[in-house]
Amino acid sequence: MAISNSDISRVLLAYLECYPDDAVPLSEPVKLLAEGEGFASRRTFPMHVTVGALLVRRGAEVLLVDHLAYGILLQPGGHLEPTDSTLISAAVRELVEETGVDPSELVPASPMPVYVEYGRVPARPTKDEPEHLHLDFGYSFLTTQADVGLIQESEVRGATWHPLSVAERLVGPRIARAMNASS
């Protein structure tokens, strides 16, 4: 069963209860979710939902991917699929698809997202996508021994482990939130 707008709204409102300082930057997507439909589809514009996965290994390093479309290092993640039943399971699917990690080696740090970000995405004419907005729900996962397997070469150039301080410099404060969720 596909993820519904009410599922998305429920997770977003629960997140805002935990992180009330994010209410102002997320006020527009809250309004859009209340007024529109189909935000689980990547064909919904001006906004649709994506997911991200921060995988922390042994409390010391984070797995990042070299994203082909953006040309930068990011946490694994991407668009929802019609077969996804929850946002957190979509994050696991994206993590496994892009990095080849063994899903049996993953433990969710929390059932709640550790970040929700709302941002503009440039147009991608090759995918027939105008400039639009992503509402990205990021989850944190823990592992003691997972390692990179077969990467999804159509989406990423590679996947590598980075010390926490380096990962935070590369992708921002969401790394600290991932670590706090694992405490």
Side-chain angles (χ1 to χ4, degrees):
M1 174 197 255
I3 299 170
S4 70
N5 285 358
S6 61
D7 295 333
I8 296 165
S9 292
R10 190 171 25 261
V11 172
L12 180 56
L13 294 175
Y15 170 84
L16 289 172
E17 284 183 28
C18 292
Y19 301 103
D21 290 348
D22 288 355
V24 171
L26 295 175
S27 60
E28 186 177 343
V30 167
K31 181 181 172 194
L32 288 170
L33 282 165
E35 296 172 351
E37 293 186 29
F39 293 104
S41 169
R42 76 179 298 153
R43 302 306 308 161
T44 300
F45 302 107
M47 177 190 86
H48 52 259
V49 171
T50 58
V51 291
L54 291 163
L55 180 57
V56 180
R57 185 167 68 178
R58 292 187 215 82
E61 52 192 353
V62 174
L63 185 60
L64 300 177
V65 295
D66 185 357
H67 196 279
L68 277 173
Y70 300 124
I72 59 174
L73 292 174
L74 291 172
Q75 68 280 358
H79 291 90
L80 303 179
E81 298 289 340
T83 55
D84 291 326
S85 59
T86 64
L87 294 172
I88 195 169
S89 66
V92 169
R93 177 187 52 73
E94 283 289 338
L95 174 61
V96 171
E97 282 178 2
E98 290 186 359
T99 67
V101 299
D102 181 348
S104 70
E105 300 288 335
L106 309 177
V107 176
S110 167
M112 178 74 55
V114 294
Y115 71 84
V116 177
E117 294 177 344
Y118 182 59
R120 191 159 304 284
V121 177
R124 292 178 68 189
T126 59
K127 293 202 176 209
D128 193 30
E129 292 178 352
E131 181 178 87
H132 59 280
L133 296 156
H134 279 177
L135 181 61
D136 190 49
F137 289 79
Y139 291 87
S140 179
F141 301 92
L142 308 174
T143 187
T144 55
Q145 60 189 21
D147 210 349
V148 176
L150 186 62
I151 65 165
Q152 186 179 31
E153 292 178 347
S154 62
E155 298 285 331
V156 300
R157 282 188 189 95
T160 52
W161 294 97
H162 296 269
L164 297 174
S165 60
V166 172
E168 189 162 18
R169 191 178 73 247
L170 292 168
V171 299
R174 63 184 83 119
I175 299 298
R177 285 228 181 132
M179 291 309 301
N180 290 337
S182 64
S183 301

